[in-house]
Amino acid sequence: MDSSRSVKAVVSPRASFLSGLRTGSGLAAASFLLAVSFGAISTSQGWGYLAPVICSMAVFSGSAQFALLATLGSGGGLAGAVVSAALINSRFIPMGIAVAGDLRGGRFRRALEGQAVVDGSWAAAHLGGGRFDRYLLFGATAIQWPAWVAGTALGVVVSPDPDLLHRLGLDILTPALFLALLFDEVRRERFNRLPALLGAAIAAGLIVFLPAGPALVGAALAALVALLRTPARHRQADETDGTTVAETTEAAGPAEKPERALSSAHSDEEVAP
């Protein structure tokens, strides 16, 4: 029997999807509360009842949607608001490129699967070494999208005070969840420590002087600069690890080789957030 197939059967697509649902449930709860605030603010700015819900269904990005609100609320035009939101969402370009190798099917199907790439799901689905669990990605997003849309609808209908979440201290939930994902990423893979920590530090510094959108863009650019400085060292480490494994396997007796191969494959497949 092929050892890689037997190992893959241990973590089935269904199990990965259910794991994604569990992982995304906390993000969904925070998204719901944030979406209520978006619905309330957009209604107070005269968006009406239908436009905020359609916006949440189509855009599904809190940072971009609040950028729309901020630009339009300050008297900016629609073009400026769209450009601001698009600039903030430009972070999904490198994120999509990173996960593209783990998507399946032709161009249309891969583009459709790529819609599951949102911040929390992308971070939770990262297995390390540039690999992603696509079913965990799908599960984590599948529970967040309806929560975001439902929260927006509730905010539109109930129209609570837009500052209610801030007064209750609930607006800290989303940053806290993303901070937990950041710590998990830093703990899991040493290669990601410099980009992650540098991006977090610059975001924390910029948020004191700039709105959340520009601070997010600045942090993403800083992380990209740090990432470009380390691939050679990372590749060298991978080559060293591969050489060590190969030498160990050659030194082992014939009876030990299948067991070592199965153990190595199992450790690669079992890495999950």
Side-chain angles (χ1 to χ4, degrees):
M1 179 183 295
D2 187 355
S3 61
S4 63
R5 289 185 180 180
S6 63
V7 172
K8 288 182 180 180
V10 174
V11 183
S12 65
R14 181 177 182 274
S16 291
F17 186 82
L18 293 177
S19 177
L21 291 177
R22 291 191 295 270
T23 302
S25 60
L27 294 168
S31 297
F32 180 83
L33 294 174
L34 190 63
V36 171
S37 178
F38 171 77
I41 296 174
S42 59
T43 302
S44 67
Q45 290 188 3
W47 282 39
Y49 292 97
L50 192 58
V53 178
I54 293 177
C55 182
S56 287
M57 293 176 65
V59 180
F60 185 33
S61 172
S63 55
Q65 290 177 231
F66 278 101
L68 285 172
L69 287 176
T71 304
L72 294 175
S74 62
L78 180 60
V82 171
V83 169
S84 176
L87 180 61
I88 292 176
N89 272 0
S90 63
R91 70 188 186 278
F92 290 120
I93 296 176
M95 291 168 64
I97 293 173
V99 79
D102 292 292
L103 303 180
R104 298 291 182 269
R107 291 183 178 179
F108 177 78
R109 179 179 173 182
R110 292 164 68 86
L112 186 62
E113 291 187 356
Q115 301 308 304
V117 177
V118 294
D119 298 304
S121 302
W122 184 87
H126 187 216
L127 299 175
R131 297 167 55 216
F132 291 83
D133 186 333
R134 60 194 287 265
Y135 289 103
L136 193 149
L137 176 74
F138 298 158
T141 300
I143 194 173
Q144 290 182 73
W145 185 79
W148 180 257
V149 176
T152 302
L154 181 63
V156 168
V157 173
V158 178
S159 296
D161 186 345
D163 293 329
L164 179 62
L165 292 181
H166 178 69
R167 290 203 305 269
L168 295 177
L170 297 177
D171 53 347
I172 197 63
L173 289 178
T174 299
L177 285 170
F178 279 106
L179 188 61
L181 290 171
L182 174 66
F183 284 150
D184 183 66
E185 185 69 20
V186 171
R187 177 187 59 81
R188 183 189 304 121
E189 194 171 15
R190 182 166 51 184
F191 173 61
N192 294 326
R193 290 178 183 176
L194 177 60
L197 293 177
L198 182 58
I202 293 185
L206 291 177
I207 199 65
V208 178
F209 308 100
L210 301 174
L216 178 63
V217 174
L221 293 176
L224 180 60
V225 170
L227 186 62
L228 292 175
R229 292 174 59 88
T230 51
R233 183 182 303 175
H234 184 58
R235 286 196 299 269
Q236 184 179 359
D238 286 345
E239 292 172 359
T240 303
D241 292 343
T243 303
T244 303
V245 171
E247 292 175 351
T248 304
T249 305
E250 289 296 328
E256 296 179 358
K257 289 182 181 180
E259 295 181 2
R260 289 184 181 276
L262 178 59
S263 176
S264 177
H266 181 75
S267 62
D268 288 341
E269 292 293 335
E270 287 286 332
V271 179

